[in-house]
């Protein structure tokens, strides 16, 4: 439904809709011993689009449920999060038929699942990955709006700081000493979304 507020050009100032999409995640570590592979995830949730009185300028804010599969050191886990992105956008178009826009803004993430993922490798060494409970990141993107309702966009998400800590145990010498190693992780993501505004 469109909120009944209109600008002098006859367009709705506020539109409510739903947005969802897929993402490809790239994990990186500050340690060469760990290997990470690209993994996939999805996100979905309600979205608000604000058309400001300045021609071409707008805002959008969403609340997403996100689920992503992560893989490191040969093991995988699922991360569930609540995402709160808020973007400033600028677009140009041809009437109400087609417009293109660029967008940027912060995103706040809150971990909804387990904080720590534990496993034991084939050599009997213990490992665990600890997620950040909250995370600030930045989105940069571009997209296209078709008519008044349909919108497609692609974003690149860059975390500010680390995504989590990866700690693993390597068995020590014959005396039974143990050595613990740790690495900080950053998880960048490409996102492709499709939205419908009422």
């Amino acid at each position: 439904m469109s909120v009944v507020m209109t600008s002098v050009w006859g367009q709705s100032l506020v539109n409510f809709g739903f947005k969802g999409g897929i993402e490809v995640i790239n994990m990186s570590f500050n340690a060469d011993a760990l290997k990470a592979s690209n993994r996939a995830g999805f996100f979905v949730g309600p979205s608000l689009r604000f058309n400001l009185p300045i021609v071409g300028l707008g805002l959008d804010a969403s609340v997403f449920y996100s689920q992503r599969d992560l893989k490191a050191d040969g093991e995988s886990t699922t991360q569930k999060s609540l995402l709160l992105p808020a973007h400033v956008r600028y677009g140009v178009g041809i009437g109400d038929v087609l417009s293109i826009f660029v967008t940027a803004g912060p995103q706040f993430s809150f971990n909804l699942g387990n904080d720590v993922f534990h496993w034991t490798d084939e050599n009997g060494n213990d490992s665990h990955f600890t997620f950040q409970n909250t995370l600030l990141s930045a989105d940069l993107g571009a997209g296209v709006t078709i008519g008044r309702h349909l919108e497609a966009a692609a974003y690149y998400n860059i975390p500010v700081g680390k995504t989590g800590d990866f700690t693993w145990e390597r068995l020590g010498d014959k005396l039974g000493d143990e050595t613990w190693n740790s690495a900080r992780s950053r998880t960048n993501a490409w996102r492709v979304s499709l939205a419908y505004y009422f």
Side-chain angles (χ1 to χ4, degrees), residues 70-136:
L70 305 176
K71 185 175 182 179
D73 198 28
E75 298 291 335
S76 61
T77 185
T78 299
Q79 182 185 19
K80 300 175 183 178
S81 304
L82 179 70
L83 309 180
L84 303 176
H87 302 144
V88 177
R89 50 194 286 162
Y90 181 78
V92 294
I94 305 171
D96 294 330
V97 179
L98 183 71
S99 65
I100 58 173
F101 62 90
V102 292
T103 181
Q107 175 181 274
F108 298 93
S109 305
F110 302 91
N111 186 33
L112 299 178
N114 295 328
D115 295 337
V116 182
F117 175 60
H118 297 272
W119 72 92
T120 302
D121 67 18
E122 59 185 11
N123 296 318
N125 300 318
D126 292 326
S127 301
H128 63 266
F129 189 95
T130 305
F131 293 107
Q132 294 285 94
N133 287 323
T134 59
L135 179 67
L136 173 64

Side-chain angles (χ1 to χ4, degrees), residues 20-27 38-43 66-68 83 103 107 138-143 153-159 187-193:
I22 58 174
E23 60 182 351
V24 177
I25 302 105
N26 180 37
M27 296 182 71
N38 289 333
R39 305 293 285 176
F42 71 89
F43 58 95
S66 169
Q67 184 170 308
R68 50 170 61 171
L83 309 180
T103 181
Q107 175 181 274
D139 285 332
L140 301 173
Y155 302 89
Y156 188 62
N157 179 261
I158 307 166
T187 306
N188 293 17
W190 278 103
R191 293 194 178 113
V192 177
S193 71

